[in-house]
Amino acid sequence: MSDVVERTLSALPGLLGQQDPGAGPGGGPGRVSATSRLGGLIRSITALSSKHEEEKLIQQEQTNLKATVSAPTTTLRLMKECMVRLIYCEMLGYESSFGYIHAIKLAQQGNLLEKRVGYLAVSLFLHENHELLLLLVNTVVKDLQSTNLVEVCMALTVVSQIFPREMIPAVLPLIEDKLQHSKEIIRRKAVQALYKFYLIAPNQVQHIHDKFRKALCDRDVGVMAASLHIYLQMIKKNASGYKDLTESFVSILKQVVGGKLPIDFNYHSVPAPWLQIQLLRILGLLGKDDPRTSELMYDVLDESLRRAEINHNITYAILFECVQTIYTICPKSDLLEKAAKCIGKFVLSPKINLKYLGLKALTYVIQQDPNLALQHQMTIIECLDHPDPIIKRETLELLYRITNGQNVTVIVQKMLDYLRQSKEEYTIINLTGKIAELVEKYPFLLLKWFIQTMNAVFSVGGDVMHPDIPNNFLRLLAEGFDDEKEDEELRLYAVQSYLSLLEEEDTFYPQKFLQVMSWVLGEYSYLINDGDPEVIITRLHRLLKQTFVTSETKAWIMTAVTKMSSRMSCSKTIDKLIQEFSTSLDTCMRQYAFELKHLCENKELMKNLFPLDASCDEIMVDASLSFLDGFVAEGLSCGAAPYKPHHQRQEEKLSQEKALNFEPYGLSFTSNMSSSGFTGRQSPAGLSLGSDMSGNSAELGQKETNCLKLDGVRKLWGKEGYLPKKENKTGKEDKTQPVPQDSILTAHVVDPPLMQSEQQVVSLSEEEKEKQQLASTLFVGLGSNSTISLVGDFYKLQVTKFTKYETQNSEEASSFQNIATLPFSPLPDTTPNNKENFQGNEHLGLRKISLSSSEVLEASVSFETSQSVTEVGLDEQLSNCRLSTSSLFADSNIEVFQPPQNVPDIVANKAPLSLCLPEELAGHPHSEIVELCSSDILTVYWCKVWTDDCSRLVLFVANNSTSPLKTVNLVNLNIFYTSVNFFLSFCQKCVQLEKVCTEGVLSGSISYHLDTDTHLEFSLTFSLSDFIRPMKMTTEDFGRLWLSFSNDVKQNLKMSPSQGSLSVALNALKQKLKLHIVEIIGNEGIAACRLLPSVPCLLHCRTHARTLALWFRSSCSALPDSLLYQCQKVMEEA
Amino acid sequence: MRSAGRPGPGSVPGQVERGGPDGTGPAGGGGAMMRFMLLFSRQGKLRLQKWYLATSDKEKKKMVRELMQVVLARKPKMCSFLEWRDLKVVYKRYASLYFCCAIEGQDNELITLELIHRYVELLDKYFGSVCELDIIFNFEKAYFILDEFLMGGEIQDTSKKSVLKAIEQADLLQEEDESPRSVLEEMGLA
């Protein structure tokens, strides 16, 4: 666009005087308005010289506009013009909310042109949650039904820009219809509108997934490309569910790369680059950790690399994406080689944008290929000193990833240098976090270095850094490491360094830093043998008088002073301090002063309260408040009413407001509750014991364990006042709690003097030699010979654990625990709906799966072999089991029972296989036993068993061959057999749902060893209904629970004639979803169910003229939504 | 005691999640590719703003002001990409006008740069050698073109011809402004 003539605003007034821009060069279709009122407004604003004048002018303009838009005589045409002017005012930053409603009206009433401006104004003025937006829904619905293409397009555009989430159902069917429209532009926009819906409310568009597939196969390239946006998002969430599409994506990409698309889609003679990049991204996600899928794409990736030859930004963009994909999927050496070459091209490019991307790519691939960093080390060094801070920043990011014990000091120093120059809050937060992480990883390289670096972090990071940083630092300091002597030394050094920092008067430090200092001084100042504690107290005292110190920090300082005073006999400064603050206007300070005073009078007590170096000891707290028993008993005997908890009182109040309740309080309810394992936090009302059961607090308290260990007791002073028994530790514990920070935004940065005394790093001002030297310090420990230390230190990419162990007795049950090694990094959750995990529901968090008994039902021929094999290879290729967000079935605690190998000898006849469930499961409802996968050797059958407390997956493994099998592994499910020779065996496994979602996929593979290793892959879908169980309750209980739940969802469903009455519909739901029908009265019915283990959900439904109104309520926010979807499915099937 | 207290590498605060190799890959915050697009002049006057993620007015103003300052302070030879807040900002200057897009950290910066360029090409084609004045006086047209080009933060049509066709089709209505509706319908269906 170099031919664009630079005409800046300074030339504007003159230009306007000479000519009408409408007749300017080119004279495109749009040039009109310079003479219009908008033109006038713009012209006069440009002519103004001060902000103040501008404000005045706009105010005047707004008054005019306000009068015009609200006048009833204003024509729509004039209104359109007003809207454009209003948009202009808003763009200048002047709010014009009076016009919003008129924008909606214009969209509603105007003709096409006016409508277009109306819609534009709405989308610019309002945000997604604006209440006025509801008024737009009707207009959108009307326009979507219009026969005019332009109107439909406008409606679709506005829907994809801004639409209220809760109104999606109103337009969804209309938009779905548009997917079949004859015009591709409409289909494309409809897909894009659905994409927007998918982003803001994924559950609502779940049922149209197959229509997305249709869109993917659309004959129009634009529609297909639009559907890729949705696929990218869906695959991000659950890659395993879309592996079957890999070949389609590959073939699309092949066609695109091969130039099969219409020439329209070329951009600078590169075919559809946006499409290519989208596809490459999708392929990367699909091929990640999946060798078989990766294999499918090697060819096309190679071709993409080859075709992208022209020296243009767009080809580099594609190359970059290719490189990323190649390094994301399972590696193939010649592709990697080519990709590495590409990265080299980027890094060495004179173009700064490409250099930046090169660094980014290096950062991305560095742990797979550290040698690449070595190749480019000189460039990296140059970039470290690059005048553009962005390049520097990315280089630091790269260095951060190659840090090891040998180069950490240099790298941290570089990062500190950068940190000192940056002022942007996000950068500071980010960098301080990284520095602190590195420093804490190698704290004992150099004691002084550790403390000094942290000092720098605290003084620069100040109050914007993450609160975990000071907390972690203090914890490290307090808990120490293995060597007690080193710990002492470290603490002593910290104390000394803080003292010298505080020596200077009137130096400003961030609050967080002061808090850290005062905690350390209070806790460890006794380590200084030669110093006078009086000096330290004087310094702290001086701080207390500073104006910049917040009251929170003052509390820290006072605690430090209190701790120190317990170790001194008497101190003039303390007396002075007490005197001074006893009359302080700050009540907190006064309180502290009085406490200190009283404590000083009783030195013995004080010594007990503040033992030396005891910040890490556990504290016992009597949470049941049993020491108050006497007091309560006395109160009760004097006629006081027994204590009722808050929620119970409220409930009683509610029930009093309702009609008289003639039923006795249902005992069955309480027993139900306890059996289904309610916990108090899940549903406070669920625990509502009848009023007769509410004893006093002591009674309830004693039911719990008498002494709770509370790690994080926060309150220094309870409501009851000063509790000497508790106080000693709580005070200290308090210091390590994350403290909500007072916002002090700009921290004046001071270089701690100590930092300057230790400059160990090479100064880079000199030439090449120095650079070489720096390179050697930076890249030390890198390279092929020491890659392991690098990779192992930082990246736990693949956790591959190989355990060998011997079992002499094969009957012995062994259990493996591998909770820690599971790489189930919680993927960022992209479903807003699912975001709320069950709070406080520990059951689900536990990720527990127990695999019990795998027995040999019938056995084998060669008994001898079985005895000889005693080695168990546990090879967990967990990298394979990257479960997607939507299918976070987790597993961890696995018990494996080895098949008893004594059994075989009784088996002689290999009777026809009868697959049946073991006795303990046979009684439960279960699905049919179906074949899952098979090969000539093995057949795997599966079956779901729905027991009361969990869903079990039972896998049957049958040996089709006559020869014995060696080690059979069920990868991902963490089941493995040692049994060499079983003929048929089964295993079961309890699957739990971690997050509420409607469907999840559990995938795994089975591998066995006959002559060669063989894999069989399979995947199973679990739906929400697998985790739903009926919940029995009475109508009264239902009513009570109903009131206590806040999350609800309503929806009307159409009923087919066959479904007829409510009871038919409800029974269908009951069967499919395992609901418990509480009662049906006329055309209304109520039902209840629970999500395992015990999250209740209530359903109220009512039929009305062929519609079924469903109303869900639950204590879990995501559950109603997902259940509704299940119901929809059931009703559709029926 | 020791192991319990050691802060694990995972607990590191303040770290902006990158689509790094150590983690979950390019899993974004669940949003569209682009967060917002701004056009502003060298004098720091906003010419066009489009937000693809719900943002409060106050926040918008703050972000616009901050970002303008940062971008305007950059020197001409510097990189077109910026790390700003938790976002990547891609900007390019065309004559006196800055085009500026915010994307997520793991998105492709270069293609975003080309996206800006494609938008400028569209404007150029539509206005016929576009200049800042065209955009100042016909900003609503610039919005219409943008809406036809990007939808919900994702590129809608990569074909220059079809974008312009759609716009011109709508523009033609202008001349038929007062004509009866049935004609419009024909236009639309044509």
Side-chain angles (χ1 to χ4, degrees):
Chain A
M1 208 44 46
S2 54
D3 54 335
V4 174
V5 187
E6 180 167 346
R7 274 187 262 166
T8 57
L9 267 183
S10 51
L12 187 55
L15 267 172
L16 289 170
Q18 293 159 11
Q19 64 172 112
D20 181 359
R31 308 191 181 226
V32 266
S33 49
T35 49
S36 67
R37 272 182 234 203
L38 173 73
L41 175 66
I42 295 172
R43 216 169 338 172
S44 37
I45 282 184
T46 328
L48 297 177
S49 52
S50 77
K51 185 83 187 159
H52 178 68
E53 283 173 329
E54 184 187 293
E55 269 168 33
K56 246 170 72 184
L57 187 75
I58 292 285
Q59 228 162 32
Q60 203 188 341
E61 177 74 16
Q62 279 185 325
T63 328
N64 287 343
L65 280 169
K66 204 170 182 173
T68 320
V69 292
S70 44
T73 50
T74 308
T75 61
L76 289 171
R77 196 171 193 175
L78 184 57
M79 192 69 96
K80 184 188 107 194
E81 217 175 283
C82 290
M83 276 310 137
V84 178
R85 275 189 286 162
L86 276 176
I87 297 175
Y88 187 74
C89 291
E90 285 250 329
M91 192 153 60
L92 289 179
Y94 300 93
E95 204 203 343
S96 319
S97 49
F98 62 87
Y100 295 175
I101 184 76
H102 298 283
I104 291 178
K105 263 200 222 158
L106 190 65
Q108 203 166 27
Q109 298 165 352
N111 64 23
L112 277 178
L113 272 176
E114 292 147 7
K115 196 183 265 295
R116 186 158 74 146
V117 173
Y119 272 136
L120 175 68
V122 169
S123 71
L124 289 174
F125 290 159
L126 305 184
H127 55 83
E128 245 156 52
N129 305 317
H130 202 286
E131 50 192 356
L132 281 180
L133 213 51
L134 288 178
L135 297 175
L136 193 72
V137 175
N138 210 11
T139 315
V140 170
V141 170
K142 212 180 82 202
D143 285 340
L144 280 177
Q145 287 164 320
S146 162
T147 50
N148 186 319
L149 279 192
V150 180
E151 273 181 355
V152 179
C153 281
M154 279 194 259
L156 286 173
T157 305
V158 84
V159 159
S160 74
Q161 168 74 25
I162 182 173
F163 200 74
R165 221 183 87 131
E166 61 275 19
M167 294 312 288
I168 291 177
V171 293
L172 194 56
L174 291 171
I175 295 181
E176 277 178 59
D177 285 348
K178 296 285 175 283
L179 291 176
Q180 268 102 45
H181 202 279
S182 58
K183 283 277 176 197
E184 63 276 353
I185 184 168
I186 302 284
R187 291 205 300 276
R188 191 182 68 215
K189 282 182 198 260
V191 171
Q192 232 144 353
L194 288 175
Y195 167 64
K196 173 75 174 182
F197 289 167
Y198 181 82
L199 288 181
I200 60 177
N203 276 346
Q204 308 228 32
V205 290
Q206 253 166 349
H207 62 284
I208 32 183
H209 278 195
D210 37 324
K211 292 193 180 157
F212 294 154
R213 277 194 190 224
K214 235 180 182 172
L216 182 66
C217 307
D218 200 283
R219 59 185 183 281
D220 182 69
V221 184
V223 183
M224 184 271 291
S227 76
L228 289 183
H229 299 313
I230 303 180
Y231 274 103
L232 179 65
Q233 295 295 334
M234 294 199 293
I235 290 169
K236 258 185 202 174
K237 267 202 202 163
N238 171 19
S240 61
Y242 300 91
K243 301 270 182 190
D244 57 320
L245 287 175
T246 312
E247 284 183 54
S248 319
F249 292 129
V250 168
S251 84
I252 296 173
L253 184 56
K254 254 186 199 143
Q255 291 174 46
V256 176
V257 174
K260 300 268 161 56
L261 290 193
I263 201 131
D264 274 358
F265 288 90
N266 280 12
Y267 176 83
H268 294 259
S269 58
V270 174
W274 281 274
L275 189 55
Q276 284 195 43
I277 281 173
Q278 197 81 350
L279 285 165
L280 284 170
R281 238 180 248 174
I282 289 176
L283 290 183
L285 290 170
L286 285 172
K288 195 175 165 75
D289 304 324
D290 183 347
R292 205 173 287 181
T293 314
S294 299
E295 199 128 318
L296 297 171
M297 46 188 89
Y298 289 144
D299 277 351
V300 76
L301 287 175
D302 193 45
E303 184 156 353
S304 293
L305 278 182
R306 213 152 30 80
R307 293 259 182 174
E309 279 165 339
I310 323 159
N311 186 15
H312 189 278
N313 266 347
I314 197 72
T315 47
Y316 285 115
I318 295 170
L319 278 181
F320 180 77
E321 208 62 48
C322 265
V323 168
Q324 264 198 333
T325 306
I326 287 169
Y327 272 96
T328 310
I329 63 173
C330 292
K332 191 186 180 214
S333 56
D334 69 314
L335 274 183
L336 285 182
E337 217 170 276
K338 284 177 187 167
K341 235 181 241 166
C342 259
I343 294 179
K345 248 195 262 175
F346 276 101
V347 174
L348 297 173
S349 166
K351 287 186 186 165
I352 189 157
N353 288 344
L354 297 186
K355 201 182 261 308
Y356 174 85
L357 285 180
L359 288 170
K360 193 178 156 185
L362 264 186
T363 313
Y364 187 80
V365 305
I366 199 73
Q367 98 290 357
Q368 278 188 48
D369 199 354
N371 281 321
L372 216 49
L374 282 181
Q375 278 172 30
H376 298 295
Q377 47 177 311
M378 286 326 284
T379 321
I380 294 172
I381 298 292
E382 270 162 26
C383 289
L384 206 50
D385 261 350
H386 202 278
D388 190 344
I390 298 303
I391 300 281
K392 243 185 191 172
R393 178 85 184 70
E394 195 57 39
T395 316
L396 286 177
E397 183 69 41
L398 174 63
L399 291 180
Y400 162 76
R401 301 207 175 206
I402 58 163
T403 315
N404 56 34
Q406 287 154 290
N407 60 16
V408 64
T409 45
V410 190
I411 289 177
V412 164
Q413 186 56 43
K414 287 281 161 205
M415 290 168 99
L416 277 176
D417 290 345
Y418 187 87
L419 183 63
R420 293 211 179 89
Q421 290 163 10
S422 50
K423 292 181 189 69
E424 217 236 328
E425 198 179 311
Y426 280 80
T427 318
I428 294 177
I429 294 175
N430 187 309
L431 267 182
T432 48
K434 283 184 174 145
I435 296 174
E437 183 198 349
L438 292 180
V439 170
E440 281 167 12
K441 210 175 266 170
Y442 312 96
F444 278 93
L445 285 177
L446 286 163
L447 293 181
K448 288 181 179 175
W449 172 77
F450 174 54
I451 298 291
Q452 280 164 3
T453 314
M454 286 313 284
N455 283 353
V457 167
F458 288 140
S459 51
V460 181
D463 295 318
V464 295
M465 70 187 169
H466 199 284
D468 278 355
I469 299 177
N471 292 342
N472 284 343
F473 172 71
L474 290 184
R475 198 168 45 187
L476 265 179
L477 211 58
E479 289 176 354
F481 301 85
D482 299 330
D483 188 348
E484 192 55 39
K485 217 180 121 201
E486 275 197 332
D487 291 345
E488 298 254 297
E489 225 173 287
L490 182 70
R491 289 166 193 157
L492 178 62
Y493 186 75
V495 170
Q496 283 167 342
S497 98
Y498 296 151
L499 274 181
S500 60
L501 284 180
L502 289 178
E503 205 162 4
E504 283 173 56
E505 283 187 58
D506 300 324
T507 332
F508 176 87
Y509 295 108
Q511 304 298 318
K512 282 271 152 62
F513 195 16
L514 288 176
Q515 290 165 10
V516 168
M517 287 192 216
S518 41
W519 190 85
V520 172
L521 288 180
E523 201 66 25
Y524 298 116
S525 59
Y526 70 90
L527 290 170
I528 301 190
N529 296 321
D530 48 345
D532 182 4
E534 198 79 3
V535 178
I536 305 174
I537 293 189
T538 319
R539 282 186 195 154
L540 291 174
H541 181 212
R542 201 166 61 202
L543 270 183
L544 279 176
K545 287 188 289 188
Q546 298 280 6
T547 45
F548 66 82
V549 177
T550 63
S551 53
E552 188 199 336
T553 311
K554 280 181 185 167
W556 287 72
I557 299 173
M558 274 309 275
T559 319
V561 171
T562 314
K563 279 184 211 160
M564 288 179 65
S565 68
S566 71
R567 292 166 209 140
M568 298 159 65
S569 45
C570 63
S571 150
K572 266 189 209 156
T573 328
I574 289 179
D575 292 342
K576 205 173 102 194
L577 193 144
I578 292 173
Q579 214 174 5
E580 204 172 300
F581 288 101
S582 300
T583 55
S584 163
L585 284 177
D586 183 343
T587 45
C588 284
M589 287 308 289
R590 210 155 64 209
Q591 167 97 357
Y592 286 126
F594 277 116
E595 282 161 13
L596 182 57
K597 190 176 160 197
H598 285 289
L599 281 174
C600 283
E601 282 161 11
N602 189 350
K603 283 281 169 189
E604 257 330 289
L605 173 67
M606 201 158 169
K607 283 234 163 69
N608 281 334
L609 284 179
F610 302 107
L612 274 188
D613 191 17
S615 56
C616 300
D617 297 351
E618 304 275 358
I619 311 159
M620 307 296 240
V621 178
D622 182 1
S624 68
L625 306 181
S626 59
F627 54 89
L628 289 174
D629 282 357
F631 178 74
V632 174
E634 201 178 311
L636 284 173
S637 67
C638 293
Y643 174 76
K644 289 174 190 167
H646 178 71
H647 62 88
Q648 197 186 332
R649 272 174 284 162
Q650 214 155 30
E651 226 167 78
E652 280 174 16
K653 217 170 120 197
L654 270 174
S655 58
Q656 275 164 15
E657 280 165 10
K658 280 191 300 179
L660 280 177
N661 182 7
F662 294 106
E663 303 279 333
Y665 285 109
L667 268 176
S668 62
F669 176 64
T670 33
S671 66
N672 262 343
M673 285 307 164
S674 55
S675 69
S676 61
F678 264 86
T679 64
R681 264 195 285 172
Q682 243 167 267
S683 78
L687 265 191
S688 69
L689 316 159
S691 59
D692 49 334
M693 275 193 65
S694 66
N696 64 34
S697 63
E699 196 183 297
L700 283 173
Q702 269 154 0
K703 281 183 191 158
E704 295 171 29
T705 37
N706 247 340
C707 11
L708 277 174
K709 279 185 186 175
L710 295 185
D711 284 335
V713 183
R714 292 193 65 142
K715 281 267 153 70
L716 181 45
W717 305 97
K719 266 187 192 164
E720 298 85 342
Y722 176 55
L723 293 170
K725 206 173 146 201
K726 291 179 187 173
E727 201 274 338
N728 58 351
K729 279 331 157 14
T730 48
K732 291 172 197 167
E733 284 288 318
D734 196 24
K735 303 303 175 256
T736 51
Q737 290 292 326
V739 203
Q741 59 185 56
D742 300 347
S743 57
I744 289 192
L745 276 174
T746 40
H748 174 64
V749 178
V750 181
D751 270 31
L754 275 171
M755 265 329 285
Q756 288 158 344
S757 68
E758 262 246 334
Q759 290 283 5
Q760 76 276 54
V761 191
V762 201
S763 80
L764 279 169
S765 56
E766 291 180 44
E767 283 313 303
E768 284 305 303
K769 257 190 190 172
E770 308 256 329
K771 281 192 178 173
Q772 296 277 7
Q773 203 181 341
L774 177 61
S776 61
T777 37
L778 280 177
F779 297 95
V780 66
L782 260 182
S784 47
N785 47 354
S786 56
T787 35
I788 295 153
S789 79
L790 171 84
V791 179
D793 258 3
F794 280 93
Y795 308 102
K796 294 179 177 150
L797 223 206
Q798 292 188 333
V799 184
T800 315
K801 197 176 159 194
F802 194 82
T803 320
K804 277 192 178 176
Y805 86 120
E806 307 258 325
T807 40
Q808 291 304 324
N809 181 356
S810 53
E811 275 181 357
E812 199 176 74
S814 330
S815 70
F816 299 91
Q817 297 222 333
N818 39 7
I819 304 166
T821 55
L822 286 171
F824 283 140
S825 50
L827 300 173
D829 192 352
T830 38
T831 351
N833 262 356
N834 293 352
K835 251 200 177 123
E836 260 177 56
N837 217 333
F838 299 132
Q839 285 179 345
N841 190 340
E842 282 102 352
H843 298 279
L844 288 176
L846 270 178
R847 309 179 145 198
K848 201 170 183 181
I849 276 186
S850 65
L851 152 73
S852 53
S853 91
S854 66
E855 288 172 24
V856 177
L857 287 184
E858 294 184 63
S860 74
V861 221
S862 56
F863 181 56
E864 282 114 59
T865 10
S866 84
Q867 295 286 43
S868 67
V869 174
T870 48
E871 230 181 21
V872 182
L874 165 58
D875 185 6
E876 297 165 283
Q877 296 176 326
L878 284 169
S879 55
N880 263 347
C881 59
R882 183 152 302 283
L883 294 181
S884 63
T885 13
S886 56
S887 65
L888 279 171
F889 303 109
D891 43 351
S892 59
N893 199 351
I894 293 136
E895 296 163 47
V896 173
F897 294 89
Q898 282 165 15
Q901 300 189 346
N902 298 356
V903 188
D905 49 8
I906 37 166
V907 184
N909 57 333
K910 279 170 264 162
L913 279 183
S914 63
L915 289 171
C916 59
L917 286 167
E919 269 173 45
E920 72 266 22
L921 293 179
H924 295 284
H926 56 84
S927 65
E928 277 178 51
I929 301 171
V930 186
E931 187 180 309
L932 182 61
C933 55
S934 69
S935 68
D936 336 333
I937 314 280
L938 266 187
T939 311
V940 182
Y941 302 89
W942 69 281
C943 160
K944 288 182 197 166
V945 180
W946 299 292
T947 62
D948 276 348
D949 52 343
C950 74
S951 278
R952 280 166 200 280
L953 172 64
V954 182
L955 294 177
F956 298 85
V957 184
N959 187 349
N960 300 336
S961 69
T962 46
S963 49
L965 289 173
K966 284 182 195 161
T967 327
V968 176
N969 288 331
L970 269 165
V971 186
N972 290 2
L973 296 176
N974 302 320
I975 303 167
F976 58 92
Y977 293 106
T978 43
S979 55
V980 198
N981 47 2
F982 59 87
F983 186 70
L984 174 69
S985 163
F986 75 93
C987 63
Q988 58 164 339
K989 179 175 176 77
C990 179
V991 183
Q992 294 202 0
L993 192 63
E994 268 229 321
K995 271 184 190 157
V996 179
C997 55
T998 53
E999 231 173 49
V1001 178
L1002 185 68
S1003 55
S1005 63
I1006 185 162
S1007 66
Y1008 53 90
H1009 189 84
L1010 192 60
D1011 298 320
T1012 52
D1013 275 323
T1014 320
H1015 280 278
L1016 269 180
E1017 282 188 22
F1018 59 84
S1019 68
L1020 282 166
T1021 311
F1022 276 81
S1023 84
L1024 182 71
S1025 56
D1026 288 325
F1027 302 93
I1028 297 290
R1029 295 289 177 274
M1031 185 163 167
K1032 294 210 170 82
M1033 61 171 69
T1034 63
T1035 310
E1036 289 73 39
D1037 301 334
F1038 185 95
R1040 224 168 299 151
L1041 273 178
W1042 184 265
L1043 290 174
S1044 64
F1045 292 155
S1046 53
N1047 303 299
D1048 66 353
V1049 166
K1050 289 188 210 176
Q1051 174 101 357
N1052 291 335
L1053 299 181
K1054 283 227 169 64
M1055 296 206 304
S1056 65
S1058 66
Q1059 279 160 333
S1061 71
L1062 173 72
S1063 60
V1064 176
L1066 254 182
N1067 271 321
L1069 290 180
K1070 178 191 172 181
Q1071 266 173 6
K1072 289 273 162 58
L1073 294 178
K1074 305 186 208 67
L1075 304 176
H1076 167 70
I1077 300 180
V1078 182
E1079 202 173 354
I1080 301 181
I1081 314 167
N1083 63 347
E1084 273 183 88
I1086 50 177
C1089 64
R1090 64 191 163 96
L1091 174 68
L1092 288 173
S1094 55
V1095 185
C1097 186
L1098 305 179
L1099 164 67
H1100 173 271
C1101 44
R1102 176 205 293 269
T1103 47
H1104 177 70
R1106 291 263 165 266
T1107 56
L1108 178 65
L1110 295 175
W1111 188 358
F1112 289 91
R1113 276 199 179 185
S1114 169
S1115 56
C1116 159
S1117 62
L1119 190 52
D1121 235 11
S1122 314
L1123 256 182
L1124 173 65
Y1125 171 63
Q1126 297 285 341
C1127 284
Q1128 268 173 336
K1129 250 178 40 184
V1130 171
M1131 297 299 285
E1132 273 168 28
E1133 282 166 16
Chain B
M1 183 61 64
R2 181 193 166 183
S3 61
R6 294 280 288 134
S11 69
V12 177
Q15 211 174 321
V16 177
E17 196 48 57
R18 305 170 63 92
D22 50 343
T24 50
M33 173 189 158
M34 195 178 298
R35 296 292 192 81
F36 59 82
M37 185 178 205
L38 301 178
L39 265 68
F40 51 86
S41 71
R42 220 169 47 173
Q43 285 78 15
K45 294 261 189 244
L46 191 61
R47 295 295 176 216
L48 190 139
Q49 55 175 340
K50 190 88 191 173
W51 300 78
Y52 294 103
L53 208 74
T55 318
S56 75
D57 280 346
K58 209 175 142 197
E59 186 65 15
K60 278 184 196 169
K61 269 185 205 168
K62 200 174 156 219
M63 286 169 93
V64 170
R65 203 174 44 229
E66 255 179 55
L67 189 58
M68 269 200 232
Q69 245 174 22
V70 176
V71 172
L72 289 173
R74 308 262 306 162
K75 294 188 185 82
K77 290 280 171 202
M78 280 182 168
C79 189
S80 302
F81 318 131
L82 266 180
E83 265 168 59
W84 180 73
R85 297 198 174 190
D86 55 337
L87 298 172
K88 254 309 155 46
V89 169
V90 177
Y91 71 93
K92 189 161 186 190
R93 189 179 143 183
Y94 288 91
S96 56
L97 209 55
Y98 283 89
F99 288 70
C100 185
C101 289
I103 54 173
E104 276 172 23
Q106 65 273 10
D107 282 326
N108 191 321
E109 292 90 350
L110 263 186
I111 197 78
T112 312
L113 202 59
E114 293 312 296
L115 184 140
I116 291 176
H117 190 75
R118 172 44 67 102
Y119 181 48
V120 174
E121 281 180 358
L122 285 169
L123 290 173
D124 195 51
K125 189 101 192 238
Y126 179 80
F127 287 106
S129 152
V130 68
C131 69
E132 192 185 338
L133 286 177
D134 293 319
I135 292 166
I136 295 173
F137 285 107
N138 299 294
F139 60 85
E140 82 275 16
K141 297 274 164 38
Y143 275 118
F144 292 144
I145 296 173
L146 185 61
D147 279 346
E148 206 53 50
F149 175 54
L150 289 177
M151 201 166 161
E154 296 285 355
I155 192 155
Q156 191 190 158
D157 205 329
T158 60
S159 145
K160 198 162 31 171
K161 215 164 76 186
S162 67
V163 174
L164 290 175
K165 208 176 98 193
I167 290 290
E168 273 155 20
Q169 204 171 41
D171 271 343
L172 277 176
L173 302 168
Q174 192 145 20
E175 286 134 39
E176 313 284 334
D177 215 359
E178 306 302 329
S179 60
R181 195 170 166 97
S182 62
V183 178
L184 290 182
E185 280 174 2
E186 268 179 34
M187 294 297 311
L189 289 168

